[in-house]
Every structure is written in C-alpha cells, then in structure tokens.
Amino acid sequence: MQREEKQLEASLETILMRVNDLKNSIGAMIFKLENESEALNWPTFLDNFALISSQLVSLSKMLGHDKCPPLRNLAVLPLLLSPERDEQLLRLTEHRIPMFSHDLVPDYLRTKPVPEAEQKMLQLEHKANTMSTETIQKQMGAYSKVVGLVWELVSKAREEWESEGSSRAGPTITSSMADTQTLVMTVATGKGLKGNMGQGAVPPNMIGPPGRPGVGNAPLPPSQMQQQMGPMGKVPSGIKTNIKAATQMHPYAR
C-alpha cells in the first residue's frame, strides 16, 4: 500500500510539473497575441503552437504509461469546507481560489460537463446519428473540395516563393562603386564638368539693352568687343571704385 502511495505521489508531482509547463506556454502565447500582435509573425506563432502541441503529447504519453496509476479510478473528496478565506489555498492556486466553500466545490470537483454543455453535446450527437448517409457524403465532399482548394493555393504560393528564392543568386546590387568614385571626383576636383561658355559666346555683361545694335543674342563685332574687354582681354567690371591714398584717409595724419 505504501509503495502504491509513493508511486502515486511521484506521478502526481511529475504531472503537475508538466501541467505547469503547459500552462506557462499557453499563457506566454496568449500574452503575445494580446500585446505583441503587430510584431508577431506566422513562423513565431507556429513555433509556439508546436511547443504547446509537443507538451500535450508528452503529457498524454505520461498519463498512459504503465508506471503511472490510472487516475480515472481515483476519486477526489473534500476534507474541509469553509466559507472563510484560506491563504494557503490562495497561494497554492496562484490567487485563483480564495476559499473552498460549498458553492465552489461542485464546480471545481466536477467530473462531468456543465449540464447546459452536456445537453448541447447530446443534441449534436443525436443530430449526427440521425443524418442520412447521402447527406453525410455530400458534406464530406464539400469540405474536401474546400480543403483541396486551400491546399492548392498554399502549394502554388509555396512553389512561387521557392522559385523566387532560387532565382536570386545573391543580394540585389543597388549601388555602383565606379559611379560613386566619379561623383566624388566631380565634387572634389570638378572632373568631368564642362563650362557653358564656349568659343564665340558673349558674356552676360556685354549684352546691351534692347533697341541698340549688337544687342540680344547676336555677338558684337571684334573691334567693339576688344574695346570693351580692354588691352589685356579682360572684361571691365561694372563696379566703380575710388582708391585713395592711405595718408588721405587717416583722420589723425600729421
């Protein structure tokens, strides 16, 4: 008898550990769905779902193991019922059950579904049993058609993604080193730039007002151009200057 009790206690501890892991995984997934829905992508969601699925499979295997006693043959009976607040029970249940009263025991120790849910299940089972074979075949055909269409769409999208991924030999090149060097040399030294004034062009300050000869876009004669440019071939500036000696400008000159 003591051996069976020890085996039951060890099995319950292991089951509680697995159930807590499963509960933490479900809680983390719900938290991500509620608070990180914008940053949550489909692969991450599938990873979390796969983790929960593997934990459920592991728990099912543990319950069906030979060393685990059949829990369905055991009954849970309340030893003490009290309407007062129980701090130890609150701590064990992670602040979910504050008391173990007469009103809460039937809900927490229930071995059958809620009567409303049980009645709904019985109605669905009766409806499923009374359906004709022809109707069942039609519904199965319609569901299979929908599933096949979705599967075809997913497979086609997957093939397109794989073909696009294989066609890309490397990362897309969005810059050219030669163009970058040419641009740097142009900005730093002016390499490759060409002036707008060529041979025979007239400077802007040599264009006279309208209504006079040699105005507009027509060039001036060489003699007039030489007179305006001066003896050294320079264009005289339009700014008049008056240079005086430094001694005349000094107010305290002796």
Side-chain angles (χ1 to χ4, degrees):
M1 188 66 180
Q2 294 181 354
R3 181 179 179 182
E4 293 179 357
E5 291 180 355
K6 290 182 179 180
Q7 186 177 1
L8 176 62
E9 184 177 357
S11 300
L12 289 178
E13 290 181 358
T14 307
I15 292 172
L16 286 176
M17 291 177 59
R18 297 296 178 88
V19 171
N20 287 330
D21 294 339
L22 178 61
K23 182 189 67 175
N24 294 332
S25 300
I26 295 175
M29 187 173 181
I30 294 175
F31 179 81
K32 289 182 179 180
L33 290 175
E34 293 179 349
N35 302 299
E36 302 177 3
S37 58
E38 296 180 358
L40 186 65
N41 51 16
W42 184 245
T44 305
F45 180 82
L46 289 181
D47 292 340
N48 294 335
F49 188 80
L51 177 61
I52 295 174
S53 178
S54 62
Q55 291 175 347
L56 285 173
V57 172
S58 177
L59 182 61
S60 301
K61 290 182 178 180
M62 181 180 297
L63 293 175
H65 198 269
D66 296 337
K67 294 183 179 181
C68 181
L71 300 179
R72 66 181 59 186
N73 297 334
L74 303 176
V76 179
L77 299 176
L79 300 179
L80 179 62
L81 299 178
S82 175
E84 303 295 333
R85 183 183 179 90
D86 191 349
E87 296 297 334
Q88 184 178 3
L89 179 63
L90 193 65
R91 187 182 70 256
L92 292 175
T93 57
E94 298 181 357
H95 300 276
R96 289 194 300 271
I97 304 176
M99 63 187 69
F100 213 55
S101 61
H102 298 74
D103 297 334
L104 300 178
V105 167
D107 295 331
Y108 288 115
L109 300 184
R110 184 186 301 275
T111 57
K112 296 179 64 177
V114 182
E116 292 79 5
E118 187 176 5
Q119 184 67 23
K120 188 67 175 177
M121 291 177 62
L122 291 176
Q123 292 178 1
L124 294 176
E125 291 179 358
H126 178 71
K127 182 178 179 181
N129 294 329
T130 55
M131 290 179 63
S132 61
T133 306
E134 184 179 358
T135 305
I136 295 175
Q137 293 294 335
K138 288 182 179 180
Q139 291 185 357
M140 290 178 60
Y143 294 152
S144 300
K145 185 177 180 180
V146 173
V147 173
L149 180 60
V150 174
W151 177 259
E152 183 179 356
L153 293 175
V154 173
S155 301
K156 185 177 180 180
R158 181 179 180 181
E159 292 177 359
E160 292 178 357
W161 294 339
E162 291 179 352
S163 61
E164 290 179 359
S166 60
S167 62
R168 296 176 182 175
T172 305
I173 299 175
T174 58
S175 62
S176 175
M177 185 59 65
D179 294 343
T180 304
Q181 294 178 357
T182 303
L183 181 60
V184 171
M185 293 297 295
T186 302
V187 174
T189 63
K191 181 180 179 181
L193 295 179
K194 295 181 180 181
N196 293 328
M197 294 178 57
Q199 295 181 356
V202 182
N205 57 357
M206 296 181 65
I207 300 176
R212 299 177 61 183
V215 298
N217 295 329
L220 296 174
S223 59
Q224 296 183 9
M225 186 181 296
Q226 183 67 26
Q227 292 177 3
Q228 292 189 8
M229 294 181 63
M232 298 300 294
K234 297 182 179 180
V235 179
S237 175
I239 302 175
K240 296 182 180 181
T241 57
N242 189 7
I243 302 175
K244 297 182 181 181
T247 55
Q248 296 178 3
M249 296 178 63
H250 201 288
Y252 303 102
R254 295 180 181 178

